[in-house]
Amino acid sequence: MKYLLLFFISFFISAAHAEDLLVPISKFDNDSQQLTDSKVLEFWAYHNYDGSDNYQNTLRLRYYNPLAIGDWRGRFRLDTAYTSNYNSISSANNSGQYSAGNTMITVWGQDLTVLKSLGALIGGRVIFPFGNNGQWAVGPQLGWSFQPNIDSLLHVTDFSPLLRYMYGFDSKNNKQNVNPSQPALARNLQIFPTVGFQLSPNTMLRFWDENGMVYNSAGGGWFVPIDAMVTHRLDKNWVVAVGASKQLVQTFSQYDWSTYAKISFNF
């Protein structure tokens, strides 16, 4: 009986301490409709490894722009990339030979009538395939931004979950004799349970901001990584960041690990 009592006492002490560290769900406010009007230009570099002696380097240009149509307010995002694929038996020069990668357009914004009860930002993404492979794909998305109205020991800044479903409908070079390694058409649910922490006045730690979880609804299987990125604001216009991602569950193949960095200019 004494040990049982000690167990319950230690459990409640731990629970109270956890509440000091984090922010209770009831203490978050839905801040999804507060969209920034800034324009952002970002330069990204990624280095990925798939676990089978295959590497990929990616250079990505990303641009954000505000949108306004009548009373509707939103954001526009353009991603375009150059990629290089190589392995350990390739020529060393192959790692520097880049070709066009996919281009993506993403639009999201506030809508006070459609799915009003969800209080979400509603949008969608279109993928345009370029280079030697890829596929046309479209998908809707729902996103939120919840801001804590109290502080905590870990200084939680926000909880910003996002759900997106991508549907591939046409592959580029989809003939088997042209590209035998062409992947199956996408049927993927993407889940980003993004959460941020303030490390210092100008430095933040963010989890699952750049790389989220993926569920393959066509054949089953999950991809679940641990993804973390540290961002540091140099001044009001410039932000730099470095991050890394490592798969934890991969019954649906994506990558083994990934490292990345960005330079961001806000204007």
Side-chain angles (χ1 to χ4, degrees):
M1 185 67 180
K2 178 178 70 174
Y3 295 109
L4 183 61
L5 180 60
L6 289 174
F7 170 79
F8 280 110
I9 291 174
S10 63
F11 173 80
F12 285 116
I13 291 176
S14 299
H17 185 59
E19 188 167 310
D20 290 335
L21 288 174
L22 300 172
V23 178
I25 294 177
S26 62
K27 300 299 183 180
F28 279 90
D29 294 329
N30 190 337
D31 196 41
S32 303
Q33 306 301 325
Q34 303 302 315
L35 295 172
T36 176
D37 289 331
S38 66
K39 299 177 182 179
V40 184
L41 182 63
E42 296 181 340
F43 298 92
W44 291 80
Y46 306 80
H47 179 62
N48 292 0
Y49 176 61
D50 74 350
S52 301
D53 193 37
N54 294 308
Y55 297 84
Q56 182 181 75
N57 292 333
T58 301
L59 300 176
R60 183 179 301 277
L61 177 68
R62 183 176 295 171
Y63 174 68
Y64 295 86
N65 196 79
L67 288 178
I69 303 174
D71 294 332
W72 184 87
R73 296 292 182 272
R75 299 283 286 172
F76 167 89
R77 170 177 149 182
L78 171 67
D79 291 73
T80 187
Y82 277 86
T83 63
S84 171
N85 298 287
Y86 64 100
N87 55 43
S88 61
I89 62 175
S90 300
S91 166
N93 294 329
N94 284 3
S95 62
Q97 295 178 354
Y98 286 83
S99 61
N102 289 336
T103 291
M104 300 183 296
I105 291 178
T106 312
V107 175
W108 67 95
Q110 56 182 329
D111 196 306
L112 302 180
T113 57
V114 178
L115 301 177
K116 180 179 179 180
S117 60
L118 291 178
L121 294 170
I122 302 172
R125 169 171 288 179
V126 180
I127 296 178
F128 304 86
F130 292 100
N132 295 323
N133 54 57
Q135 58 186 258
W136 291 88
V138 297
Q141 69 177 45
L142 292 174
W144 295 263
S145 177
F146 298 98
Q147 308 290 327
N149 54 36
I150 61 171
D151 199 3
S152 63
L153 293 178
L154 291 181
H155 305 298
V156 179
T157 61
D158 67 290
F159 173 52
S160 304
L162 185 142
L163 301 174
R164 180 188 298 122
Y165 185 82
M166 294 306 300
Y167 183 92
F169 60 89
D170 186 33
S171 295
K172 184 173 184 180
N173 294 337
N174 55 1
K175 294 181 180 179
Q176 192 69 17
N177 61 339
V178 175
N179 189 357
S181 63
Q182 181 75 24
L185 293 175
R187 302 288 188 272
N188 301 333
L189 174 64
Q190 302 172 0
I191 305 170
F192 292 79
T194 307
V195 60
F197 301 90
Q198 197 78 44
L199 301 182
S200 74
N202 295 312
T203 306
M204 291 181 60
L205 173 64
R206 300 187 66 76
F207 290 98
W208 297 288
D209 194 314
E210 183 62 15
N211 296 285
M213 308 170 188
V214 182
Y215 173 69
N216 179 25
S217 62
W222 280 91
F223 175 75
V224 180
I226 177 68
D227 177 76
M229 175 171 60
V230 176
T231 69
H232 180 71
R233 179 168 294 279
L234 301 175
D235 56 35
K236 67 177 184 178
N237 298 112
W238 293 96
V239 175
V240 295
V242 293
S245 183
K246 178 69 172 74
Q247 62 88 5
L248 300 178
V249 177
Q250 189 165 207
T251 52
F252 174 54
S253 180
Q254 295 290 285
Y255 56 81
D256 184 54
W257 54 258
S258 173
T259 58
Y260 52 90
K262 78 166 180 176
I263 299 175
S264 177
F265 178 62
N266 302 262
F267 57 100

